[in-house]
PDB file of all heavy atoms in Angstrom:
ATOM      1  N   SER A  74     -16.844  -6.600   0.308  1.00 85.00           N
ATOM      2  CA  SER A  74     -17.993  -7.243  -0.343  1.00 85.00           C
ATOM      3  C   SER A  74     -19.183  -7.414   0.598  1.00 85.00           C
ATOM      4  O   SER A  74     -20.335  -7.380   0.160  1.00 85.00           O
ATOM      5  CB  SER A  74     -17.576  -8.607  -0.901  1.00 85.00           C
ATOM      6  OG  SER A  74     -17.187  -9.482   0.152  1.00 85.00           O
ATOM      7  N   SER A  75     -18.917  -7.565   1.899  1.00 85.00           N
ATOM      8  CA  SER A  75     -20.002  -7.764   2.863  1.00 85.00           C
ATOM      9  C   SER A  75     -20.683  -6.457   3.258  1.00 85.00           C
ATOM     10  O   SER A  75     -21.780  -6.468   3.813  1.00 85.00           O
ATOM     11  CB  SER A  75     -19.469  -8.455   4.118  1.00 85.00           C
ATOM     12  OG  SER A  75     -18.598  -7.586   4.831  1.00 85.00           O
ATOM     13  N   GLY A  76     -20.020  -5.344   3.006  1.00 84.00           N
ATOM     14  CA  GLY A  76     -20.552  -4.054   3.439  1.00 84.00           C
ATOM     15  C   GLY A  76     -20.061  -3.633   4.801  1.00 84.00           C
ATOM     16  O   GLY A  76     -20.459  -2.567   5.305  1.00 84.00           O
ATOM     17  N   SER A  77     -19.165  -4.416   5.415  1.00 84.00           N
ATOM     18  CA  SER A  77     -18.648  -4.073   6.752  1.00 84.00           C
ATOM     19  C   SER A  77     -17.902  -2.744   6.729  1.00 84.00           C
ATOM     20  O   SER A  77     -18.075  -1.904   7.624  1.00 84.00           O
ATOM     21  CB  SER A  77     -17.704  -5.179   7.250  1.00 84.00           C
ATOM     22  OG  SER A  77     -18.363  -6.412   7.333  1.00 84.00           O
ATOM     23  N   ALA A  78     -17.074  -2.547   5.702  1.00 83.00           N
ATOM     24  CA  ALA A  78     -16.313  -1.302   5.611  1.00 83.00           C
ATOM     25  C   ALA A  78     -17.239  -0.107   5.444  1.00 83.00           C
ATOM     26  O   ALA A  78     -17.044   0.945   6.061  1.00 83.00           O
ATOM     27  CB  ALA A  78     -15.327  -1.381   4.442  1.00 83.00           C
ATOM     28  N   ALA A  79     -18.276  -0.271   4.615  1.00 82.00           N
ATOM     29  CA  ALA A  79     -19.227   0.826   4.393  1.00 82.00           C
ATOM     30  C   ALA A  79     -19.992   1.157   5.669  1.00 82.00           C
ATOM     31  O   ALA A  79     -20.263   2.330   5.959  1.00 82.00           O
ATOM     32  CB  ALA A  79     -20.190   0.450   3.274  1.00 82.00           C
ATOM     33  N   LEU A  80     -20.346   0.111   6.455  1.00 82.00           N
ATOM     34  CA  LEU A  80     -21.079   0.342   7.699  1.00 82.00           C
ATOM     35  C   LEU A  80     -20.230   1.139   8.695  1.00 82.00           C
ATOM     36  O   LEU A  80     -20.710   2.105   9.314  1.00 82.00           O
ATOM     37  CB  LEU A  80     -21.487  -0.999   8.322  1.00 82.00           C
ATOM     38  CG  LEU A  80     -22.196  -0.926   9.672  1.00 82.00           C
ATOM     39  CD1 LEU A  80     -23.519  -0.166   9.551  1.00 82.00           C
ATOM     40  CD2 LEU A  80     -22.436  -2.327  10.239  1.00 82.00           C
ATOM     41  N   VAL A  81     -18.964   0.744   8.854  1.00 82.00           N
ATOM     42  CA  VAL A  81     -18.072   1.462   9.766  1.00 82.00           C
ATOM     43  C   VAL A  81     -17.874   2.895   9.288  1.00 82.00           C
ATOM     44  O   VAL A  81     -17.890   3.848  10.078  1.00 82.00           O
ATOM     45  CB  VAL A  81     -16.709   0.730   9.896  1.00 82.00           C
ATOM     46  CG1 VAL A  81     -15.753   1.539  10.753  1.00 82.00           C
ATOM     47  CG2 VAL A  81     -16.896  -0.659  10.471  1.00 82.00           C
ATOM     48  N   ALA A  82     -17.692   3.060   7.969  1.00 82.00           N
ATOM     49  CA  ALA A  82     -17.489   4.399   7.409  1.00 82.00           C
ATOM     50  C   ALA A  82     -18.713   5.283   7.647  1.00 82.00           C
ATOM     51  O   ALA A  82     -18.587   6.457   8.032  1.00 82.00           O
ATOM     52  CB  ALA A  82     -17.194   4.295   5.920  1.00 82.00           C
ATOM     53  N   ASP A  83     -19.904   4.741   7.427  1.00 79.00           N
ATOM     54  CA  ASP A  83     -21.135   5.510   7.665  1.00 79.00           C
ATOM     55  C   ASP A  83     -21.234   5.949   9.113  1.00 79.00           C
ATOM     56  O   ASP A  83     -21.596   7.085   9.420  1.00 79.00           O
ATOM     57  CB  ASP A  83     -22.361   4.668   7.298  1.00 79.00           C
ATOM     58  CG  ASP A  83     -22.673   4.731   5.812  1.00 79.00           C
ATOM     59  OD1 ASP A  83     -21.941   5.434   5.094  1.00 79.00           O
ATOM     60  OD2 ASP A  83     -23.635   4.074   5.383  1.00 79.00           O
ATOM     61  N   THR A  84     -20.893   5.018  10.004  1.00 79.00           N
ATOM     62  CA  THR A  84     -20.943   5.333  11.439  1.00 79.00           C
ATOM     63  C   THR A  84     -19.966   6.450  11.780  1.00 79.00           C
ATOM     64  O   THR A  84     -20.290   7.376  12.539  1.00 79.00           O
ATOM     65  CB  THR A  84     -20.614   4.072  12.264  1.00 79.00           C
ATOM     66  OG1 THR A  84     -21.496   3.022  11.895  1.00 79.00           O
ATOM     67  CG2 THR A  84     -20.749   4.354  13.757  1.00 79.00           C
ATOM     68  N   LEU A  85     -18.758   6.369  11.210  1.00 78.00           N
ATOM     69  CA  LEU A  85     -17.751   7.396  11.467  1.00 78.00           C
ATOM     70  C   LEU A  85     -18.204   8.760  10.953  1.00 78.00           C
ATOM     71  O   LEU A  85     -18.098   9.773  11.648  1.00 78.00           O
ATOM     72  CB  LEU A  85     -16.424   7.022  10.786  1.00 78.00           C
ATOM     73  CG  LEU A  85     -15.526   6.011  11.489  1.00 78.00           C
ATOM     74  CD1 LEU A  85     -14.356   5.642  10.590  1.00 78.00           C
ATOM     75  CD2 LEU A  85     -15.014   6.570  12.807  1.00 78.00           C
ATOM     76  N   VAL A  86     -18.730   8.791   9.740  1.00 76.00           N
ATOM     77  CA  VAL A  86     -19.120  10.061   9.126  1.00 76.00           C
ATOM     78  C   VAL A  86     -20.274  10.703   9.894  1.00 76.00           C
ATOM     79  O   VAL A  86     -20.284  11.909  10.156  1.00 76.00           O
ATOM     80  CB  VAL A  86     -19.497   9.839   7.647  1.00 76.00           C
ATOM     81  CG1 VAL A  86     -20.117  11.108   7.057  1.00 76.00           C
ATOM     82  CG2 VAL A  86     -18.269   9.432   6.840  1.00 76.00           C
ATOM     83  N   GLN A  87     -21.247   9.871  10.288  1.00 77.00           N
ATOM     84  CA  GLN A  87     -22.402  10.412  11.014  1.00 77.00           C
ATOM     85  C   GLN A  87     -22.026  10.911  12.402  1.00 77.00           C
ATOM     86  O   GLN A  87     -22.584  11.890  12.892  1.00 77.00           O
ATOM     87  CB  GLN A  87     -23.494   9.347  11.115  1.00 77.00           C
ATOM     88  CG  GLN A  87     -24.169   9.068   9.785  1.00 77.00           C
ATOM     89  CD  GLN A  87     -25.331   8.096   9.921  1.00 77.00           C
ATOM     90  OE1 GLN A  87     -25.823   7.856  11.016  1.00 77.00           O
ATOM     91  NE2 GLN A  87     -25.765   7.541   8.795  1.00 77.00           N
ATOM     92  N   SER A  88     -21.070  10.225  13.027  1.00 69.00           N
ATOM     93  CA  SER A  88     -20.661  10.642  14.376  1.00 69.00           C
ATOM     94  C   SER A  88     -19.674  11.801  14.344  1.00 69.00           C
ATOM     95  O   SER A  88     -19.351  12.367  15.384  1.00 69.00           O
ATOM     96  CB  SER A  88     -20.033   9.452  15.123  1.00 69.00           C
ATOM     97  OG  SER A  88     -18.851   9.032  14.466  1.00 69.00           O
ATOM     98  N   ALA A  89     -19.177  12.127  13.154  1.00 66.00           N
ATOM     99  CA  ALA A  89     -18.160  13.180  13.041  1.00 66.00           C
ATOM    100  C   ALA A  89     -18.679  14.390  12.273  1.00 66.00           C
ATOM    101  O   ALA A  89     -17.910  15.107  11.635  1.00 66.00           O
ATOM    102  CB  ALA A  89     -16.910  12.623  12.364  1.00 66.00           C
ATOM    103  N   THR A  90     -19.986  14.610  12.331  1.00 68.00           N
ATOM    104  CA  THR A  90     -20.566  15.733  11.585  1.00 68.00           C
ATOM    105  C   THR A  90     -20.101  17.081  12.103  1.00 68.00           C
ATOM    106  O   THR A  90     -20.146  18.077  11.386  1.00 68.00           O
ATOM    107  CB  THR A  90     -22.100  15.659  11.643  1.00 68.00           C
ATOM    108  OG1 THR A  90     -22.500  15.563  13.024  1.00 68.00           O
ATOM    109  CG2 THR A  90     -22.626  14.459  10.878  1.00 68.00           C
ATOM    110  N   LEU A  91     -19.658  17.131  13.360  1.00 73.00           N
ATOM    111  CA  LEU A  91     -19.272  18.402  13.961  1.00 73.00           C
ATOM    112  C   LEU A  91     -17.788  18.713  13.805  1.00 73.00           C
ATOM    113  O   LEU A  91     -17.327  19.763  14.232  1.00 73.00           O
ATOM    114  CB  LEU A  91     -19.648  18.422  15.449  1.00 73.00           C
ATOM    115  CG  LEU A  91     -21.140  18.271  15.767  1.00 73.00           C
ATOM    116  CD1 LEU A  91     -21.373  18.271  17.271  1.00 73.00           C
ATOM    117  CD2 LEU A  91     -21.948  19.391  15.111  1.00 73.00           C
ATOM    118  N   ILE A  92     -17.028  17.779  13.217  1.00 80.00           N
ATOM    119  CA  ILE A  92     -15.589  18.030  13.055  1.00 80.00           C
ATOM    120  C   ILE A  92     -15.252  18.129  11.578  1.00 80.00           C
ATOM    121  O   ILE A  92     -15.891  17.509  10.731  1.00 80.00           O
ATOM    122  CB  ILE A  92     -14.727  16.935  13.723  1.00 80.00           C
ATOM    123  CG1 ILE A  92     -14.937  15.577  13.037  1.00 80.00           C
ATOM    124  CG2 ILE A  92     -15.009  16.850  15.204  1.00 80.00           C
ATOM    125  CD1 ILE A  92     -13.996  14.499  13.534  1.00 80.00           C
ATOM    126  N   PRO A  93     -14.254  18.920  11.204  1.00 86.00           N
ATOM    127  CA  PRO A  93     -13.889  19.086   9.787  1.00 86.00           C
ATOM    128  C   PRO A  93     -13.243  17.814   9.239  1.00 86.00           C
ATOM    129  O   PRO A  93     -12.718  16.988   9.999  1.00 86.00           O
ATOM    130  CB  PRO A  93     -12.896  20.249   9.818  1.00 86.00           C
ATOM    131  CG  PRO A  93     -12.320  20.227  11.194  1.00 86.00           C
ATOM    132  CD  PRO A  93     -13.429  19.748  12.089  1.00 86.00           C
ATOM    133  N   PRO A  94     -13.251  17.630   7.916  1.00 87.00           N
ATOM    134  CA  PRO A  94     -12.652  16.438   7.307  1.00 87.00           C
ATOM    135  C   PRO A  94     -11.188  16.226   7.681  1.00 87.00           C
ATOM    136  O   PRO A  94     -10.744  15.090   7.813  1.00 87.00           O
ATOM    137  CB  PRO A  94     -12.812  16.706   5.801  1.00 87.00           C
ATOM    138  CG  PRO A  94     -14.004  17.597   5.703  1.00 87.00           C
ATOM    139  CD  PRO A  94     -13.943  18.475   6.930  1.00 87.00           C
ATOM    140  N   ILE A  95     -10.426  17.332   7.862  1.00 91.00           N
ATOM    141  CA  ILE A  95      -9.009  17.163   8.213  1.00 91.00           C
ATOM    142  C   ILE A  95      -8.857  16.495   9.577  1.00 91.00           C
ATOM    143  O   ILE A  95      -7.927  15.719   9.803  1.00 91.00           O
ATOM    144  CB  ILE A  95      -8.265  18.522   8.173  1.00 91.00           C
ATOM    145  CG1 ILE A  95      -6.752  18.280   8.327  1.00 91.00           C
ATOM    146  CG2 ILE A  95      -8.773  19.479   9.244  1.00 91.00           C
ATOM    147  CD1 ILE A  95      -5.915  19.527   8.154  1.00 91.00           C
ATOM    148  N   ALA A  96      -9.796  16.761  10.492  1.00 91.00           N
ATOM    149  CA  ALA A  96      -9.753  16.104  11.807  1.00 91.00           C
ATOM    150  C   ALA A  96     -10.069  14.621  11.663  1.00 91.00           C
ATOM    151  O   ALA A  96      -9.491  13.777  12.360  1.00 91.00           O
ATOM    152  CB  ALA A  96     -10.742  16.774  12.752  1.00 91.00           C
ATOM    153  N   LEU A  97     -10.982  14.295  10.737  1.00 91.00           N
ATOM    154  CA  LEU A  97     -11.297  12.894  10.481  1.00 91.00           C
ATOM    155  C   LEU A  97     -10.091  12.178   9.867  1.00 91.00           C
ATOM    156  O   LEU A  97      -9.812  11.020  10.183  1.00 91.00           O
ATOM    157  CB  LEU A  97     -12.510  12.795   9.551  1.00 91.00           C
ATOM    158  CG  LEU A  97     -13.233  11.448   9.504  1.00 91.00           C
ATOM    159  CD1 LEU A  97     -13.685  11.005  10.883  1.00 91.00           C
ATOM    160  CD2 LEU A  97     -14.433  11.527   8.557  1.00 91.00           C
ATOM    161  N   LEU A  98      -9.359  12.884   9.012  1.00 93.00           N
ATOM    162  CA  LEU A  98      -8.126  12.344   8.439  1.00 93.00           C
ATOM    163  C   LEU A  98      -7.134  12.017   9.559  1.00 93.00           C
ATOM    164  O   LEU A  98      -6.532  10.932   9.579  1.00 93.00           O
ATOM    165  CB  LEU A  98      -7.517  13.365   7.481  1.00 93.00           C
ATOM    166  CG  LEU A  98      -6.201  12.979   6.803  1.00 93.00           C
ATOM    167  CD1 LEU A  98      -6.417  11.878   5.783  1.00 93.00           C
ATOM    168  CD2 LEU A  98      -5.567  14.203   6.119  1.00 93.00           C
ATOM    169  N   GLY A  99      -6.982  12.958  10.503  1.00 93.00           N
ATOM    170  CA  GLY A  99      -6.103  12.709  11.646  1.00 93.00           C
ATOM    171  C   GLY A  99      -6.588  11.557  12.497  1.00 93.00           C
ATOM    172  O   GLY A  99      -5.778  10.780  13.034  1.00 93.00           O
ATOM    173  N   ALA A 100      -7.917  11.420  12.610  1.00 91.00           N
ATOM    174  CA  ALA A 100      -8.476  10.317  13.397  1.00 91.00           C
ATOM    175  C   ALA A 100      -8.107   8.969  12.796  1.00 91.00           C
ATOM    176  O   ALA A 100      -7.845   8.004  13.525  1.00 91.00           O
ATOM    177  CB  ALA A 100      -9.995  10.458  13.493  1.00 91.00           C
ATOM    178  N   PHE A 101      -8.080   8.902  11.458  1.00 93.00           N
ATOM    179  CA  PHE A 101      -7.677   7.643  10.818  1.00 93.00           C
ATOM    180  C   PHE A 101      -6.225   7.301  11.157  1.00 93.00           C
ATOM    181  O   PHE A 101      -5.887   6.136  11.374  1.00 93.00           O
ATOM    182  CB  PHE A 101      -7.873   7.726   9.299  1.00 93.00           C
ATOM    183  CG  PHE A 101      -9.214   7.233   8.857  1.00 93.00           C
ATOM    184  CD1 PHE A 101     -10.234   8.115   8.590  1.00 93.00           C
ATOM    185  CD2 PHE A 101      -9.462   5.880   8.743  1.00 93.00           C
ATOM    186  CE1 PHE A 101     -11.487   7.672   8.208  1.00 93.00           C
ATOM    187  CE2 PHE A 101     -10.709   5.409   8.354  1.00 93.00           C
ATOM    188  CZ  PHE A 101     -11.728   6.306   8.093  1.00 93.00           C
ATOM    189  N   TYR A 102      -5.351   8.319  11.179  1.00 95.00           N
ATOM    190  CA  TYR A 102      -3.958   8.062  11.578  1.00 95.00           C
ATOM    191  C   TYR A 102      -3.918   7.522  13.001  1.00 95.00           C
ATOM    192  O   TYR A 102      -3.260   6.507  13.282  1.00 95.00           O
ATOM    193  CB  TYR A 102      -3.117   9.336  11.478  1.00 95.00           C
ATOM    194  CG  TYR A 102      -1.668   9.098  11.868  1.00 95.00           C
ATOM    195  CD1 TYR A 102      -0.700   8.899  10.901  1.00 95.00           C
ATOM    196  CD2 TYR A 102      -1.282   9.029  13.206  1.00 95.00           C
ATOM    197  CE1 TYR A 102       0.622   8.641  11.253  1.00 95.00           C
ATOM    198  CE2 TYR A 102       0.031   8.778  13.570  1.00 95.00           C
ATOM    199  CZ  TYR A 102       0.977   8.582  12.589  1.00 95.00           C
ATOM    200  OH  TYR A 102       2.275   8.307  12.951  1.00 95.00           O
ATOM    201  N   VAL A 103      -4.625   8.172  13.918  1.00 93.00           N
ATOM    202  CA  VAL A 103      -4.577   7.800  15.338  1.00 93.00           C
ATOM    203  C   VAL A 103      -5.119   6.393  15.557  1.00 93.00           C
ATOM    204  O   VAL A 103      -4.505   5.572  16.255  1.00 93.00           O
ATOM    205  CB  VAL A 103      -5.365   8.829  16.181  1.00 93.00           C
ATOM    206  CG1 VAL A 103      -5.506   8.341  17.624  1.00 93.00           C
ATOM    207  CG2 VAL A 103      -4.685  10.187  16.143  1.00 93.00           C
ATOM    208  N   VAL A 104      -6.262   6.077  14.949  1.00 90.00           N
ATOM    209  CA  VAL A 104      -6.872   4.749  15.131  1.00 90.00           C
ATOM    210  C   VAL A 104      -5.973   3.664  14.546  1.00 90.00           C
ATOM    211  O   VAL A 104      -5.751   2.605  15.168  1.00 90.00           O
ATOM    212  CB  VAL A 104      -8.268   4.704  14.493  1.00 90.00           C
ATOM    213  CG1 VAL A 104      -8.816   3.273  14.504  1.00 90.00           C
ATOM    214  CG2 VAL A 104      -9.227   5.627  15.238  1.00 90.00           C
ATOM    215  N   THR A 105      -5.440   3.918  13.346  1.00 93.00           N
ATOM    216  CA  THR A 105      -4.562   2.916  12.721  1.00 93.00           C
ATOM    217  C   THR A 105      -3.291   2.718  13.537  1.00 93.00           C
ATOM    218  O   THR A 105      -2.836   1.580  13.735  1.00 93.00           O
ATOM    219  CB  THR A 105      -4.187   3.347  11.284  1.00 93.00           C
ATOM    220  OG1 THR A 105      -5.377   3.597  10.546  1.00 93.00           O
ATOM    221  CG2 THR A 105      -3.387   2.258  10.595  1.00 93.00           C
ATOM    222  N   ALA A 106      -2.707   3.814  14.024  1.00 92.00           N
ATOM    223  CA  ALA A 106      -1.496   3.708  14.850  1.00 92.00           C
ATOM    224  C   ALA A 106      -1.778   2.922  16.121  1.00 92.00           C
ATOM    225  O   ALA A 106      -0.966   2.072  16.538  1.00 92.00           O
ATOM    226  CB  ALA A 106      -0.973   5.102  15.188  1.00 92.00           C
ATOM    227  N   ALA A 107      -2.916   3.175  16.750  1.00 90.00           N
ATOM    228  CA  ALA A 107      -3.278   2.447  17.974  1.00 90.00           C
ATOM    229  C   ALA A 107      -3.429   0.959  17.685  1.00 90.00           C
ATOM    230  O   ALA A 107      -2.951   0.107  18.454  1.00 90.00           O
ATOM    231  CB  ALA A 107      -4.571   3.013  18.556  1.00 90.00           C
ATOM    232  N   LEU A 108      -4.083   0.628  16.561  1.00 87.00           N
ATOM    233  CA  LEU A 108      -4.235  -0.779  16.177  1.00 87.00           C
ATOM    234  C   LEU A 108      -2.886  -1.426  15.924  1.00 87.00           C
ATOM    235  O   LEU A 108      -2.602  -2.534  16.392  1.00 87.00           O
ATOM    236  CB  LEU A 108      -5.075  -0.884  14.901  1.00 87.00           C
ATOM    237  CG  LEU A 108      -6.574  -1.125  15.030  1.00 87.00           C
ATOM    238  CD1 LEU A 108      -7.196  -1.174  13.642  1.00 87.00           C
ATOM    239  CD2 LEU A 108      -6.854  -2.407  15.788  1.00 87.00           C
ATOM    240  N   THR A 109      -2.025  -0.727  15.170  1.00 89.00           N
ATOM    241  CA  THR A 109      -0.733  -1.285  14.778  1.00 89.00           C
ATOM    242  C   THR A 109       0.165  -1.536  15.979  1.00 89.00           C
ATOM    243  O   THR A 109       0.985  -2.463  15.965  1.00 89.00           O
ATOM    244  CB  THR A 109      -0.030  -0.343  13.779  1.00 89.00           C
ATOM    245  OG1 THR A 109      -0.906  -0.101  12.688  1.00 89.00           O
ATOM    246  CG2 THR A 109       1.254  -0.950  13.250  1.00 89.00           C
ATOM    247  N   ASN A 110       0.029  -0.735  17.011  1.00 86.00           N
ATOM    248  CA  ASN A 110       0.847  -0.934  18.212  1.00 86.00           C
ATOM    249  C   ASN A 110       0.424  -2.160  19.006  1.00 86.00           C
ATOM    250  O   ASN A 110       1.114  -2.552  19.948  1.00 86.00           O
ATOM    251  CB  ASN A 110       0.783   0.313  19.096  1.00 86.00           C
ATOM    252  CG  ASN A 110       1.783   1.369  18.669  1.00 86.00           C
ATOM    253  OD1 ASN A 110       2.981   1.202  18.844  1.00 86.00           O
ATOM    254  ND2 ASN A 110       1.294   2.462  18.083  1.00 86.00           N
ATOM    255  N   VAL A 111      -0.694  -2.759  18.624  1.00 81.00           N
ATOM    256  CA  VAL A 111      -1.184  -3.948  19.333  1.00 81.00           C
ATOM    257  C   VAL A 111      -1.171  -5.176  18.437  1.00 81.00           C
ATOM    258  O   VAL A 111      -0.857  -6.277  18.875  1.00 81.00           O
ATOM    259  CB  VAL A 111      -2.615  -3.697  19.872  1.00 81.00           C
ATOM    260  CG1 VAL A 111      -3.144  -4.946  20.578  1.00 81.00           C
ATOM    261  CG2 VAL A 111      -2.632  -2.512  20.815  1.00 81.00           C
TER     262      VAL A 111
END
């Protein structure tokens, strides 16, 4: 509701213009796994 998720998503998409969507999908796995381990 605050737009925090949309802001992070926009930042990710803009910074990942040079990588294919499948790499971004893998990035979500890696970031979530790193968070979950902590």
Side-chain angles (χ1 to χ4, degrees):
S74 64
S75 68
S77 300
L80 177 62
V81 175
D83 276 359
T84 305
L85 280 173
V86 171
Q87 289 185 16
S88 63
T90 53
L91 299 179
I92 65 173
I95 189 174
L97 198 56
L98 179 70
F101 268 99
Y102 181 99
V103 171
V104 172
T105 305
L108 265 179
T109 305
N110 276 289
V111 178

